[in-house]
């Protein structure tokens, strides 16, 4: 599975005039899917990974990527199940690389999200109001669709102040949204209620709920398992300890960036969350 990364920086610019709402011809998104269990798929393209449960009740889709990608996502769902319509959409949080396609992909359908997601999208004058969540909640919510139980679970503040995860229990598949970036430094949106400590604690909570056979859909990157999430947690805890040690020595944020992290973490840097950005995030923890 190949995941496009050229559009990743856009999701941090959700409130900025610099946000690019659609790809250029040269960067036309490509959408593909990976079957995880009968009728359950990971769909990737531009933006966050999509989960899709298909069947007689239509499609339950987790996250919507960008509006420009919606026709391609619809075409891929149609390829997987002829005539299928998106009847329920779940947003894992409010960032545009997960919600910009709401109206185009699921306008008129049920759209479910954390209470904070509705508030943030309502305040975004550029967001297509046809894609606003129609149902919000906090805590746990169970959906019965396509003869399956799907559990939605909101999480304490971590990536943002409005995160949730989606459990496909019978298939032992978990969609974590941006509470998991596969083998790369995560984006923790401190300006939108995010918390480094909360992010780490939520990772620990999830690790206590899964097993070695669980398939995990991260917000960005390849399909993962428990070992991948454990690796992710170890990186966060150890890099946080390194930055805290430098801060305790009296180093400023700039000096900490100049000194850098241990060489073992170099491969975790990527085009949006570089080592410098990750250090500055940790410095504020």
């Amino acid at each position: 599975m190949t995941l496009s990364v050229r559009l990743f920086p856009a999701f941090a610019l959700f409130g900025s005039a610099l946000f690019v709402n659609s790809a250029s011809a040269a960067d036309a998104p490509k959408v593909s899917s990976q079957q995880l269990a009968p009728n359950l798929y990971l769909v990737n393209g531009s933006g966050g990974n999509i989960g899709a449960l298909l069947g007689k009740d239509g499609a339950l889709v987790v996250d919507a990527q960008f509006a420009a990608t919606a026709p391609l996502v619809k075409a891929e769902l149609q390829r997987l199940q002829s005539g299928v319509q998106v009847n329920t959409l779940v947003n894992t949080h409010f960032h545009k690389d997960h919600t910009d396609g709401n109206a185009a992909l699921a306008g008129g359908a049920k759209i479910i999200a954390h209470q904070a997601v509705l508030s943030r999208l309502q305040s975004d004058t550029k967001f297509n109001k046809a894609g606003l969540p129609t149902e919000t909640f906090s805590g746990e919510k169970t959906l019965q669709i396509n003869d399956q139980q799907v559990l939605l679970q909101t999480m304490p503040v971590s990536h943002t102040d409005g995160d949730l995860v989606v459990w496909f229990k019978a298939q032992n598949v978990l969609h974590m949204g941006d509470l998991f970036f596969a083998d790369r430094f995560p984006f923790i949106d401190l300006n939108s209620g995010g918390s480094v400590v909360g992010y780490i604690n939520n990772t620990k909570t999830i690790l206590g709920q899964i097993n070695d056979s669980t398939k995990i859909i991260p917000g960005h990157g390849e399909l993962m398992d428990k070992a991948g999430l454990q690796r992710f947690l170890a990186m966060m805890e150890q890099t946080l300890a390194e930055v805290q040690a430098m801060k305790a020595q009296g180093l400023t944020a700039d000096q900490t960036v100049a000194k850098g992290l241990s060489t073992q973490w170099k491969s975790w840097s990527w085009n949006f969350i570089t080592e410098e950005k990750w250090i500055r995030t940790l410095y504020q923890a």
Side-chain angles (χ1 to χ4, degrees), residues 103-156:
L105 186 63
K110 180 189 297 183
I111 302 176
I112 305 173
H114 189 292
Q115 293 169 347
V117 172
L118 177 59
S119 298
R120 290 194 177 276
L121 293 180
Q122 283 177 323
S123 65
D124 181 354
T125 58
K126 295 183 179 180
F127 187 79
N128 186 335
K129 297 305 187 283
L132 286 174
T134 60
E135 188 174 324
T136 63
F137 75 104
S138 180
E140 293 187 354
K141 183 178 183 64
T142 300
L143 305 178
Q144 187 72 35
I145 186 168
N146 294 327
D147 298 322
Q148 301 290 335
Q149 281 194 341
V150 181
L151 176 65
L152 315 183
Q153 179 181 354
T154 62
M155 304 296 289

Side-chain angles (χ1 to χ4, degrees), residues 232-244:
F232 183 63
L233 174 62
M235 177 278 296
M236 291 190 290
E237 290 185 320
Q238 292 176 41
T239 54
L240 177 59
E242 289 184 16
V243 170
Q244 286 179 328

Side-chain angles (χ1 to χ4, degrees), residues 69 82 88 112-113 141 172 175 211 235 277:
T69 317
S82 179
T88 304
I112 305 173
K141 183 178 183 64
N172 197 15
H175 194 311
N211 57 45
M235 177 278 296
K277 289 183 179 179

Side-chain angles (χ1 to χ4, degrees), residues 59-71:
L60 164 66
V61 173
V62 181
D63 284 339
Q65 298 188 352
F66 294 106
T69 317

Side-chain angles (χ1 to χ4, degrees), residues 37 40 53 60 140-143 148-153 165-175 206 208-211 213-215:
L40 180 60
L53 178 65
L60 164 66
E140 293 187 354
K141 183 178 183 64
T142 300
L143 305 178
Q148 301 290 335
Q149 281 194 341
V150 181
L151 176 65
L152 315 183
Q153 179 181 354
V165 298
V166 181
W167 291 89
F168 300 93
K169 286 291 190 176
Q171 298 89 345
N172 197 15
V173 173
L174 173 64
H175 194 311
I206 295 297
Q209 298 174 344
I210 63 177
N211 57 45
S213 299
T214 305
K215 295 177 181 178

